[in-house]
Amino acid sequence: MRVTRAERDGWAVVTVTGEMDLISSPAVRQKVHDAVADGRRDVVLDLAGVRFCDSSGVGVLIGSRRLMRSCAGRLRVVLPAADAPPGQGAHVNRVLAALGVRRLFEVFPDLAAATDESAQPLSA
């Protein structure tokens, strides 16, 4: 797994590729916490490159949402459609939908839309 942080149009963008599991999820949590510690209140989690997500990864997503709400921030998530071709991040979308928590997140189809103030999130 690889986790990077960059800035785009005023948003802190945390990009995750690979698997979000018990071993790798803490790195994602740390990047989000670091962004908040640096004063960022607008965070995008780009999960388009995540091919597997277990319960610890879902926990990090829910925890990140809670953190951003507690500091009056915004969290947006980039997720390909649940029926996207394998390897394009659709797994996370399916997991969140199956658990009934997909509706908790502002989901966008790509990074450009997620960092566009006028873009509307995808419906759950």
Side-chain angles (χ1 to χ4, degrees):
M1 182 189 79
R2 194 172 112 219
V3 182
T4 60
R5 183 176 144 206
E7 300 291 322
R8 180 173 174 159
D9 298 330
W11 290 81
V13 178
V14 176
T15 302
V16 184
T17 55
E19 299 183 356
M20 283 181 58
D21 57 21
L22 183 63
I23 303 299
S24 57
S25 292
V28 179
R29 178 183 297 115
Q30 188 61 52
K31 288 287 186 190
V32 173
H33 280 263
D34 290 348
V36 171
D38 291 343
R40 308 301 304 168
R41 296 298 178 262
D42 296 323
V43 175
V44 172
L45 279 174
D46 185 349
L47 306 179
V50 175
R51 60 183 184 273
F52 175 80
C53 180
D54 69 6
S55 60
S56 60
V58 173
V60 166
L61 296 177
I62 292 171
S64 296
R65 178 182 181 269
R66 186 177 302 125
L67 173 66
M68 297 311 298
R69 291 174 63 94
S70 73
C71 67
R74 296 184 294 171
L75 177 68
R76 291 181 171 185
V77 180
V78 175
L79 288 175
D83 60 353
Q88 294 187 8
H91 173 79
V92 179
N93 207 346
R94 288 191 302 272
V95 168
L96 295 178
L99 293 172
V101 297
R102 163 72 170 64
R103 62 182 168 69
L104 298 176
F105 299 95
E106 286 189 59
V107 175
F108 294 83
D110 54 44
L111 186 56
T115 57
D116 180 351
E117 291 294 336
S118 64
Q120 295 297 313
L122 300 171
S123 58

